[in-house]
Amino acid sequence: MHNLFQDLRYAARVLLKKPGFTVVIVLTLALGIGANTAIFSVVDAVVLRPLPFEDPDHLVMVLATEEGEDFPNSTTSYPDFADIREQTDTLEDVAIFHGTSSTLTGLDTPERLLGGRVSAGFFPLLRVQPGLGRLFREEDDLPGGENVVVLSHGLWQRRFNGDPNTVGQTLALDGTTHTVVGVLPAGFVFPVELADAAIWTPTAADADYFPNRGLKFVSMVGRRKPDVTLARAQAEMDTIALRLVQQYPETDTGRGLRLSPLHDHVVEDVRPAALVLLVAVGLVLLIACANVANLLLVRGAGREQEFAIRAAVGAGRRRLVRQVLTESGLLAAIGGGLGLLFAIWGTGALVAMIPDNVPRTGQINVNERVLAFALLVSMATGLGFGLVPALSASRPHVYAALKDAARTTAGLRHHRLRNSLVVFEVGLALVLLIGAGLMIRSFHRLTRVEYGFDPDKVLTFRMSVPISAYSDPAPRAALYGEVVKRLESLPGVKSAGAAASLPLRGIFSLRLDIAGRPAPPPGEEPSARCNSVTAGYFRTMGIALRRGRLFTEQDLRDAPGVAIINETMARKFWPNEDPIGQSIKPSAVLGDNDPERYEIVGVVADVRARGLDRAGAACMYFPYEQQTWPFMSFAVRTTVDPLGLVAAVRREVAEVTADEPAYGFRTMEQYTAASMGDRWFPMVLLSMFAALALVLAGLGIYTMLSHSVVQRTHEIGVRLAMGAQKTDILHMVLTHGLALTTAGLGIGLLGAFALARVLASQLYEIGATDPLTFVGVSLLLALVALLACYIPARRAMKVDPMAALRCE
C-alpha cells in the first residue's frame, strides 16, 4: 500500500509538470467515457433492464398474425380470446387489453383521459397489487354489473390530491357514473399501448363486441408456466390456431398465433438502433484510447532516459510497468469522474431528444448500474490505453538511452507501434463516418418523399363522444358538423375539416366486396384501409383530386352511399378500367349506417397514412354523415400561427358541447417531425460520434507525424545538406502519413461493410453499400488526413540544416 501511494504521488507530480498535456488527455477521455455512459444509461433503461414485474421472463405477448400486408397488427377478438384461454395448457393464464379514452366530468373542468380496458385477470397475471383499495374481480367483467374504475397513481395524486377516501367515491366518465374501487401503485406502467393510461376499466364495457369473432381489436398477454419452454408453448399455439381456422374459416382463415416474450415485444422496434449507437460510441472510446496511447508513447519516448536511469539503479520491469499504469489509471480516474459529470448532463439532453414513441424513457437515469458501468469503463480504459506505453517503457535500452544522442534518436523503435495505432484510429473513424453517411443519406431521402398532403399551417385536435349519450348517429353528425362550421368562422382560418384518422396517425383495414366479381374463398377477400371524412377534409389537408369529384354537403345520411378511393386502390383493383361508378361494400361499418352499396365517385392522391417511411396502401373514404364514428380528428388550415388559435378553438368547441373537450392539439408539421423521429434521433447521434471520431483521427495523425518530424530532425537536416529540395521533404512526410491513412481506409472499409449490413433495416430507399456514401466519406477522411499531414510537413520543410547538424 505504501508503494501504491508513492506511485500515486509521483504520478501526480509527473502529470502536473505538463498541465497542457494532461488536460488534453483528460478531456479526450472524459468525452469518450461520458458519451459511453450517457448512451448506456439510455440503452440500459430502454433495452436491457428487465420489466418491473414479478418473473418478467415468463410474460409473453400472444400475437395474432395474418397473411397480407394490410393486416400487420397483432390483435384478436373476444371469442378467439375465450377459446385460447380455455384450450391452453402451457400458459397459466391469458388476459386481454386495449387502449381507450374517456372524458372525466364533474370536477373543475372536463378532461380527456387515456385509459386501458382490461380483463379481470390482467393485473393478477402481472402480479400487481393495488396501492389502495382493490383491483378488478371476475364479476366486474360480466355485462350488467356495476361500472367500476381503477385510477393510476398519477391521476389520483393530480386530480384527487392523493385523498385515501377517493376509493368508494363515484366519478363520471363519458357521462356514465363509475365507482372508484382502487388505485394502482406508484410507478406502475404497462409499456404496450397503455403506458400513458390514467384510468382502467374492465372489459364489461365492451359487451356489445363479445359475440363478434370478426371484430379483432384486443391484444393478449399471457404468462408461461414455470416448467414450460417458449418452444413448447409456441407449438401449442400453432395447434390452437389451426383448430380455430378449421372451426371458423370465415373469420380466422390465414390467421396464426405467435408468442413473443413481453420484453422483446416492447423493445423490438428500438433495439437495433440502440445497439448500433452503443457500438458506435464504443468505437469512439476505442479511438480516444488509441489517441491517448499514442500521446503517452510520444511522451514515453521523451522519458526513455528517465526510465533507463531507474532501470540502471535497480528498478525492475514490473516496477516500471506499475508506475506507468498508475499514471494511466490516475488519468483514467480523473477523465472518468469528469466524464460522469458529462454523462449526467448528456443523459438529460438525450431524454429531451428521444422520440415520444420510444418505450420506458421515464426510467432513464444515472443509477447504480450506470455508475458501475462508468467505473468499469474507466478502469478498462485506463488499462487499455496505458498497457502499451507501460510495456514499452518497461524495456529501456539503458546504454543507448544514456548516450548524448538519445535526445534526438530515442523512440525510433516505437514508430511501428505508433503507426499501427494511427491505422487503427483511421479504420474505426471510417466505419463510423460511413455509418453516419448512410443514415444522413437515408434521412435526406425521407425528407423528400411526397406526403400526399400539405402540412404547412395546419392545426389538428381530437374529439370523442360517448356512445351512451350519442347512440343515435344523427346528433353525433350534427355536433361534428357544427364544430367544423364554427372553426371555419374563426379569424385566420382558411378552411376546416375532420376525419376519423389523419395522415401519419395510422388507419385500420377492412375487407370489402367489389360488385360484379365472384366471391373469393374465406380469408382471401380484398381489403383496404378505411376512413370517414367531412366534405372539407380534402381541401383542408391539401389532398389532390385526380378523377371524379369530392364529397359535398349533399352526401347526407339518407342520400345514396358514395365513396372516394386513392390512386393505389384504383391501380390495385381496377388496373385496366375506370373505377368511377364502381360500387363496393366494406365488411364492417363502425358508423352505425349500412347502405347497400357505396358508389365510387372520386379518386384522390395517395397519402402517407402510416408514416413517412411507409408507402401508401389502398384506402377508401366515406362521408362522415354516412359513417359517423364516435371519435373524429379535426384539421384547421390557417393563415396565422396554428398554435396561436388553440384558445379560440377550445372556446368554440366548449360552446358547442361543454362536456366533450377538444384535446391533443398538434400541428401537422409536428406530426411529420415525429414521424421522422425514429430515424432523426439515431442519425444525429451517430453523426455526432462520427464527427468526434474524425477529429480524433485527424489529431492522431497530426500527433504522430509531428513527433516523427521532431525525431527525424537530424535526418532531415542531413538530406537538406546533401541537396534535397524542400518539396522532397514535403513529399517524404506526406507519403508517410498518407500511407498510414490508406492502410486505415482499407481496414475501415471492411468494417464499414459489416456495419452497413446491421444498419440495413434502419435505412430508407438507399442501399447498405451505397457507392456514393462509401466513396464520398472515404475522400472526406482522406482530405482531413492530408490536412493533418500537411501541417507537420510544412514544419519539416523549415528545418535549418546547420542547426539540425549542430544539435546532433
Side-chain angles (χ1 to χ4, degrees):
M1 187 61 68
H2 173 73
N3 289 336
L4 176 61
F5 285 124
Q6 187 179 30
D7 288 343
L8 285 172
R9 287 195 300 269
Y10 184 76
R13 288 199 302 269
V14 170
L15 296 179
L16 289 175
K17 284 181 180 179
K18 293 188 176 181
F21 173 86
T22 302
V23 168
V24 169
I25 290 182
V26 167
L27 287 178
T28 301
L29 293 175
L31 287 173
I33 295 172
N36 272 268
T37 304
I39 293 296
F40 177 79
S41 68
V42 175
V43 175
D44 176 60
V46 175
V47 177
L48 303 179
R49 195 178 304 170
L51 295 175
F53 304 117
E54 182 180 327
D55 295 328
D57 292 341
H58 289 85
L59 294 173
V60 293
M61 288 292 296
V62 186
L63 306 174
T65 61
E66 186 158 355
E67 299 175 358
E69 63 178 0
D70 288 338
F71 295 91
N73 57 35
S74 54
T75 53
T76 191
S77 65
Y78 277 99
D80 282 349
F81 156 69
D83 288 341
I84 293 168
R85 186 181 187 188
E86 179 181 353
Q87 296 177 32
T88 181
D89 291 322
T90 60
L91 304 181
E92 288 184 4
D93 198 5
V94 180
I96 51 173
F97 63 91
H98 69 89
T100 184
S101 63
S102 301
T103 300
L104 174 64
T105 57
L107 300 179
D108 302 336
T109 56
E111 181 181 0
R112 194 70 186 179
L113 299 173
L114 296 178
R117 189 153 293 161
V118 300
S119 58
F122 180 80
F123 293 117
L125 185 144
L126 298 177
R127 309 287 194 263
V128 175
Q129 300 298 321
L132 190 69
R134 68 171 178 87
L135 301 178
F136 299 133
R137 299 169 178 162
E138 290 295 335
E139 56 266 28
D140 296 327
D141 236 355
L142 301 177
E146 181 185 11
N147 294 320
V148 296
V149 62
V150 170
L151 308 180
S152 71
H153 190 272
L155 178 66
W156 177 58
Q157 291 283 347
R158 180 170 58 85
R159 294 301 301 261
F160 300 93
N161 300 315
D163 183 5
N165 295 321
T166 302
V167 174
Q169 295 182 10
T170 60
L171 52 83
L173 297 175
D174 288 336
T176 302
T177 300
H178 288 68
T179 301
V180 177
V181 296
V183 176
L184 287 167
F188 170 80
V189 174
F190 187 71
V192 182
E193 186 181 348
L194 307 178
D196 298 321
I199 52 175
W200 300 76
T201 52
T203 53
D206 293 332
D208 292 343
Y209 307 133
F210 283 179
N212 193 337
R213 193 175 293 273
L215 193 56
K216 303 179 185 292
F217 68 99
V218 295
S219 300
M220 287 185 287
V221 61
R223 180 180 286 275
R224 280 189 296 117
K225 292 181 178 179
D227 58 341
V228 173
T229 64
L230 185 64
R232 178 184 165 193
Q234 179 61 63
E236 183 190 59
M237 289 299 114
D238 294 339
T239 302
I240 293 175
L242 181 61
R243 191 178 299 141
L244 291 176
V245 170
Q246 294 171 344
Q247 293 177 339
Y248 311 103
E250 292 186 358
T251 58
D252 285 40
T253 295
R255 292 177 64 85
L257 295 172
R258 179 173 65 88
L259 296 183
S260 173
L262 181 59
H263 181 270
D264 291 352
H265 181 76
V266 171
V267 305
E268 64 181 351
D269 291 335
V270 299
R271 180 190 281 124
L275 296 182
V276 165
L277 290 177
L278 193 59
V279 170
V281 77
L283 295 181
V284 171
L285 184 59
L286 287 177
I287 295 173
C289 288
N291 226 335
V292 172
N294 226 332
L295 289 171
L296 290 178
L297 282 171
V298 169
R299 189 186 67 163
R303 296 175 65 189
E304 280 216 348
Q305 196 170 39
E306 171 197 339
F307 290 121
I309 293 173
R310 296 184 66 178
V313 297
R317 185 179 181 187
R318 181 179 298 179
R319 185 73 177 82
L320 296 178
V321 169
R322 190 179 70 192
Q323 178 59 52
V324 176
L325 285 180
T326 300
E327 295 174 16
S328 302
L330 185 58
L331 286 170
I334 299 172
L338 185 59
L340 186 59
L341 295 178
F342 287 169
I344 294 173
W345 171 82
T347 299
L350 285 175
V351 172
M353 294 170 58
I354 292 177
D356 294 339
N357 62 340
V358 175
R360 309 172 74 188
T361 54
Q363 301 175 28
I364 297 175
N365 54 36
V366 181
N367 55 22
E368 62 277 1
R369 287 166 60 97
V370 177
L371 291 175
F373 175 82
L375 177 61
L376 181 63
V377 168
S378 299
M379 294 173 59
T381 300
L383 182 63
F385 72 75
L387 189 59
V388 172
L391 294 176
S392 177
S394 69
R395 294 192 299 266
H397 289 194
V398 177
Y399 178 73
L402 293 177
K403 292 173 61 179
D404 291 340
R407 292 181 179 86
T408 57
T409 61
L412 290 178
R413 60 193 172 87
H414 302 317
H415 276 181
R416 183 176 300 173
L417 183 55
R418 292 202 296 272
N419 290 346
S420 299
L421 288 173
V422 169
V423 171
F424 178 71
E425 289 184 62
V426 172
L428 292 182
L430 183 64
V431 172
L432 284 176
L433 285 167
I434 287 180
L438 290 172
M439 295 290 280
I440 291 172
R441 292 255 297 150
S442 172
F443 187 78
H444 180 256
R445 291 287 184 91
L446 187 62
T447 61
R448 297 175 66 86
V449 301
E450 291 291 337
Y451 298 169
F453 62 94
D454 180 9
D456 184 49
K457 291 187 176 181
V458 176
L459 176 68
T460 72
F461 66 92
R462 303 181 69 188
M463 285 185 66
S464 300
V465 296
I467 296 296
S468 58
Y470 291 86
S471 57
D472 185 351
R476 221 185 300 161
L479 184 148
Y480 290 141
E482 179 64 20
V483 170
V484 170
K485 289 180 182 179
R486 284 179 172 267
L487 294 175
E488 290 178 327
S489 67
L490 286 174
V493 172
K494 293 177 63 176
S495 63
S501 179
L502 295 177
L504 307 179
R505 293 296 304 274
I507 185 172
F508 65 86
S509 293
L510 290 176
R511 299 193 185 278
L512 67 146
D513 173 59
I514 300 176
R517 298 188 181 180
E524 298 182 15
E525 299 92 342
S527 63
R529 299 185 180 274
C530 177
N531 207 347
S532 174
V533 303
T534 64
Y537 170 75
F538 295 108
R539 180 166 61 94
T540 300
M541 292 303 302
I543 301 174
L545 175 67
R546 301 303 191 200
R547 270 179 285 175
R549 69 171 178 90
L550 299 177
F551 296 139
T552 68
E553 301 296 338
Q554 284 67 48
D555 293 317
L556 299 175
R557 182 173 181 80
D558 297 329
V562 293
I564 292 174
I565 64 174
N566 68 351
E567 292 177 289
T568 295
M569 185 168 177
R571 288 192 301 267
K572 184 175 181 179
F573 299 127
W574 295 275
N576 300 313
E577 55 184 314
D578 188 357
I580 303 298
Q582 303 285 346
S583 65
I584 57 176
K585 181 177 177 62
S587 60
V589 177
L590 301 184
D592 303 315
N593 190 19
D594 194 7
E596 182 62 28
R597 286 282 173 181
Y598 292 87
E599 180 185 351
I600 298 174
V601 297
V603 178
V604 295
D606 289 340
V607 171
R608 300 275 171 159
R610 297 174 291 168
L612 294 179
D613 58 348
R614 305 183 70 176
C619 183
M620 49 190 175
Y621 301 87
F622 302 100
Y624 90 111
E625 285 274 5
Q626 296 181 3
Q627 283 204 22
T628 310
W629 297 12
F631 53 86
M632 294 289 276
S633 295
F634 290 79
V636 184
R637 183 168 293 279
T638 71
T639 58
V640 297
D641 176 19
L643 293 177
L645 290 177
V646 171
V649 170
R650 288 187 188 276
R651 185 171 57 251
E652 293 298 326
V653 171
E655 291 185 7
V656 176
T657 171
D659 292 336
E660 309 303 332
Y663 63 97
F665 285 90
R666 296 182 75 180
T667 66
M668 281 307 301
E669 289 181 329
Q670 288 175 322
Y671 277 122
T672 57
S675 184
M676 297 181 187
D678 290 346
R679 299 178 185 272
W680 176 84
F681 177 65
M683 179 208 67
V684 169
L685 288 186
L686 192 57
S687 299
M688 291 171 57
F689 298 151
L692 182 57
L694 181 63
V695 172
L696 290 175
L699 287 175
I701 296 172
Y702 169 78
T703 301
M704 186 276 300
L705 285 181
S706 294
H707 187 256
S708 177
V709 167
V710 171
Q711 287 186 318
R712 300 176 69 180
T713 299
H714 175 66
E715 175 193 344
I716 294 171
V718 171
R719 287 175 179 268
L720 291 172
M722 294 180 66
Q725 301 297 315
K726 290 188 176 182
T727 53
D728 296 328
I729 303 302
L730 176 67
H731 180 266
M732 179 186 72
V733 178
L734 289 181
T735 300
H736 182 202
L738 292 180
L740 299 179
T741 301
T742 302
L745 291 177
I747 295 174
L749 284 173
L750 297 177
F753 279 113
L755 177 65
R757 287 196 293 269
V758 177
L759 284 177
S761 63
Q762 307 293 312
L763 303 179
Y764 176 76
E765 289 189 352
I766 186 172
T769 56
D770 178 52
L772 182 61
T773 302
F774 274 70
V775 174
V777 167
S778 299
L779 289 176
L780 172 63
L781 183 53
L783 287 175
V784 171
L786 179 63
L787 177 62
C789 296
Y790 181 73
I791 299 174
R794 287 281 297 176
R795 187 179 303 125
M797 293 170 61
K798 296 178 182 179
V799 170
D800 183 353
M802 297 305 296
L805 294 176
R806 280 199 304 270
C807 178
E808 176 59 18

